Amino acid sequence: MVDYHTAGQPTYQYGGNGPGIGDYMAQEDDWDRDLLLDPAWEKQQRKTFTAWCNSHLRKAGTQIENIDEDFRDGLKLMLLLEVISGERLPKPERGKMRVHKINNVNKALDFIASKGVKLVSIGAEEIVDGNAKMTLGMIWTIILRFAIQDISVEETSAKEGLLLWCQRKTAPYKNVNVQNFHISWKDGLAFNALIHRHRPELIEYDKLRKDDPVTNLNNAFEVAEKYLDIPKMLDAEDIVNTARPDEKAIMTYVSSFYHAFSGAQKAETAANRICKVLAVNQENEHLMEDYEKLASDLLEWIQRTIPWLENRVPQKTMQEMQQKLEDFRDYRRVHKPPKVQEKCQLEINFNTLQTKLRLSNRPAFMPSEGKMVSDINNGWSHLEQAEKGYEEWLLNEIRRLERLDHLAEKFRQKASIHESWTEGKEAMLRQKDYETATLSDIKALIRKHEAFESDLAAHQDRVEQIAAIAQELNELDYYDSPSVNARCQKICDQWDSLGSLTHTRREALEKTEKQLETIDQLHLEYAKRAAPFNNWMESAMEDLQDMFIVHTIEEIEGLIAAHDQFKSTLPDADKEREAILGIQSEAQRIADYNSIKLSGNNPYTSVTPQIINSKWERVQQLVPKRDHALQDEQSKQQSNEHLRRQFASQANIVGPWIQTKMEEIGRISIEMNGTLEDQLNHLKQYEQSIVDYKPNIDLLEQQHQLIQEALIFDNKHTNYTMEHIRVGWEQLLTTIARTINEVENQILTRDAKGISQEQMQEFRASFNHFDKDHGGSLGPEEFKACLISLGYDVENDRQGDAEFNRIMSVVDPNNSGVVTFQAFIDFMSRETTDTDTADQVIASFKVLAGDKNYITAEELRRELPPDQAEYCIARMAPYQGPDAIPGALDYKSFSTALYGESDL
């Protein structure tokens, strides 16, 4: 008989290169022969290994009784390897000779070696000879390779992986602390805990007692054999009566539990993956709904507000226009600020949603038609244009009404004076008194008529002024223009009539002038001098009572100077008055001297000395009143000037401060260092410092309100208007909010993609290096240089250009010509990290469906949480495949739709 061992048959050693089992066997120190000699351990191994082998052999319709004897011919050994590996071994030899048996065993050992296993000091002859120690060592090697090596839990495998799995599954159970595969299992609670964790209906764990290990072990072994198809591999007494149960026997037994429950573990993993994907989708849909509602509300408010701002129907009175101005202030103070915040929050929500969609490989969110951020910005721009136009219209209308009120009052004053002067003049001109008058009377009438003509000519200017004022009131659309026009027309018609009557009377008087020889020269001289002086006093009284409107201190100072100039002429006027009165006195003195009895008043004029004195006293009274009025207006203009300077002083501080902060934000966004959280905290502190500056804006608003209430329309002391300050302040708040949102999105990207802080800083450093103008974005050539510095092959050749164009289509899908830092981060994160895909979700659903091409509602409700199960059922289309059954759902199209690759 040939001795295959001495003739060169191989002696196998176990020590594979793979992780887990090779390391574990290296620790076993080639096969611990001394421990194997322990009768208790050998008995446990025989029983466990025999039961383990039979659990597989009975699938082929056979089993073994004696592990030493039944593997000697190699036939059942080869059959065992075929069953547990699922592969075909070489055809066994059926002879009964020793060489046939050795050849069969060698075929089995060769197969084991082909799986990367080295059998240490185990040869075919020892198995054929029935060597118990070698046979048990070989079976243990098979168990390690085919039952334990492939166990993997959180990057640990084989023994460590199986131990970690046991610890995870039994962690919630009291009195269970799995630290090894020997004494940790003696009280039987760990076996029961494993079963209860996966099949709680089979074990009443709370009724088990730690001090009754035999009952615990028998309960677990019997339940496992009856319900889990795990054969009883050990007797409870063998474990309890041994100081340290055999580790290999326990590991073999426990591995059977692992494989029995591995299907449930896969289903749990698949369900977790689906739950994660569905949770992301549900959250994104909620954010989309929130955006749509907020956008609809904001657009509705804008569309409702713009017609109100575009309503430019003028009011008739100043009070009504002042009420409109107050309503506009309420809109600025109360209604608009919350909408500014809503608009800012809407942009932040939109950016956050798009970031989350990119991070979860979902398509970008496209709002409903007309609800894009650009649509809202366009509507907002239209609103602000309407607002600006409305404010300008209000102020112009107030100026117009103020001017109209002034002109209307001036018209009434001049018309009243003129009407008072013309009262009785027509009747006087129509008199025929010259027909019966004496010569002296006729001469007096002629002189009187000449004085009247002089007076009439003096009033011509006033009539022209009245007509000019009426014309201006018509051009400014004065609401009471009809009555003004009627009164002006009456004055003009009367003036034409007076001119005609005056001419007619002059002709009549001149016709009889030759008959007149004497005239009282003194009366005539009096009349000639009294009439213009009287007109001068009437003009002076009219001027002293004339209303005035000014807007600057310079204008009131000009009026004061003119008034001072007028007062300087009063001494000369008083001399003229005394001279005129002297003429009348001289005439009376001559008449008295010559004993002439004058018949009544001066025949040449109706202006008596009493009238002159009365009007002179009136002028004297009006001068100090005019002084007071001018002084009051001067005080008012000084107060207005103070308001201008006060506002300008504050505005010249706030305006440059806002500009400085805008520039600082631009620098901060480029020069920020430290972690993203440090940058976010710094930005929020910076934002708080800006918010803390709000009282200065409020103070400026209060000062601006005082200026508007005082009807101050210009300010030469500053170039800043309140509108400039408001726009700058709103831009400042929006800019810092957007910068904070950008950092928050970077944190979301970093956390979701697993990017380290060092990577993020490297990305920021690379981006800033090529951002030469510090504008926060890269042009195509700058971005290409950045990619080349990071190792991308995008040189100027056909292949490099194609790759660069592909990358640009990812980072700049809208062809804007620039690459933002957020787009750069998204691209780099996709290049360096892994994410869920549609294929992974489809594979997970297939596990839940038991490898079917469809899934049922019952399976979804069994494997997923209720809300997410119903979410899937409501959105999955019916399955249309040839193997469809009633109620079958298509999970493949649903998974694809989650990632935007087709319509759900």
Side-chain angles (χ1 to χ4, degrees), residues 312-318 321-322 324 390-404 476-477 713:
R312 309 290 167 79
V313 178
Q315 301 300 314
K316 295 181 178 180
T317 66
M318 178 71 76
M321 289 305 299
Q322 289 285 5
K324 275 187 172 290
Y390 186 74
E391 184 178 25
E392 291 175 353
W393 174 78
L394 280 176
L395 297 178
N396 288 334
E397 274 300 299
I398 289 174
R399 292 190 191 100
R400 185 182 71 84
L401 289 176
E402 184 182 31
R403 172 68 175 164
L404 284 174
L476 293 176
D477 195 24
F713 305 107

Side-chain angles (χ1 to χ4, degrees), residues 44 217 240 269 375 427 491 603 606 641 673-674 714 756 782 876:
Q44 293 176 21
L217 289 167
V240 173
T269 302
D375 296 323
I491 290 172
S606 60
E641 184 68 7
N673 296 315
D714 56 358
S756 66
E782 293 174 330
M876 283 187 181

Side-chain angles (χ1 to χ4, degrees), residues 641-710:
E641 184 68 7
H642 172 72
L643 290 176
R644 289 189 185 95
R645 293 181 182 276
Q646 179 178 268
F647 175 86
S649 175
Q650 182 71 4
N652 289 335
I653 294 173
V654 173
W657 182 89
I658 291 175
Q659 182 63 34
T660 300
K661 292 300 178 182
M662 290 290 291
E663 295 172 357
E664 288 178 359
I665 292 173
R667 292 197 300 272
I668 288 173
S669 62
I670 296 174
E671 301 172 357
M672 287 189 295
N673 296 315
T675 66
L676 291 177
E677 286 76 10
D678 292 340
Q679 297 175 20
L680 182 61
N681 290 335
H682 177 65
L683 284 173
K684 287 185 176 179
Q685 292 172 1
Y686 197 84
E687 182 186 40
Q688 186 58 46
S689 71
I690 292 174
V691 173
D692 292 340
Y693 198 76
K694 183 63 165 55
N696 294 284
I697 305 298
D698 296 337
L699 175 60
L700 206 57
E701 286 282 7
Q702 295 171 5
Q703 295 171 350
H704 179 65
Q705 181 174 349
L706 293 176
I707 283 179
Q708 286 197 326
E709 290 173 351

Side-chain angles (χ1 to χ4, degrees), residues 372-392:
M372 297 288 290
V373 172
S374 60
D375 296 323
I376 293 171
N377 287 335
N378 290 337
W380 192 264
S381 177
H382 188 189
L383 174 74
E384 291 188 331
Q385 290 174 359
E387 177 182 320
K388 182 179 179 182
Y390 186 74
E391 184 178 25
E392 291 175 353

Side-chain angles (χ1 to χ4, degrees), residues 212-229:
D212 191 5
V214 174
T215 300
N216 297 342
L217 289 167
N218 283 330
N219 180 65
F221 295 162
E222 289 168 4
V223 168
E225 186 173 38
K226 182 177 180 180
Y227 295 101
L228 304 179
D229 199 27

Side-chain angles (χ1 to χ4, degrees), residues 558-572:
L559 290 178
I560 292 173
H563 183 62
D564 291 339
Q565 178 64 30
F566 166 77
K567 289 193 294 184
S568 68
T569 65
L570 290 179
D572 291 337

Side-chain angles (χ1 to χ4, degrees), residues 286-302 338-350 371 376:
H286 179 67
L287 289 174
M288 293 175 189
E289 292 171 358
D290 287 348
Y291 174 88
E292 290 284 336
K293 183 178 185 305
L294 190 57
S296 297
D297 293 345
L298 187 56
L299 285 171
E300 191 274 334
W301 178 83
I302 291 173
K339 298 303 177 182
V340 173
Q341 294 297 323
E342 288 180 14
K343 177 177 176 291
C344 179
Q345 189 62 44
L346 186 71
E347 294 178 3
I348 290 173
N349 291 352
F350 181 83
K371 296 180 182 177
I376 293 171

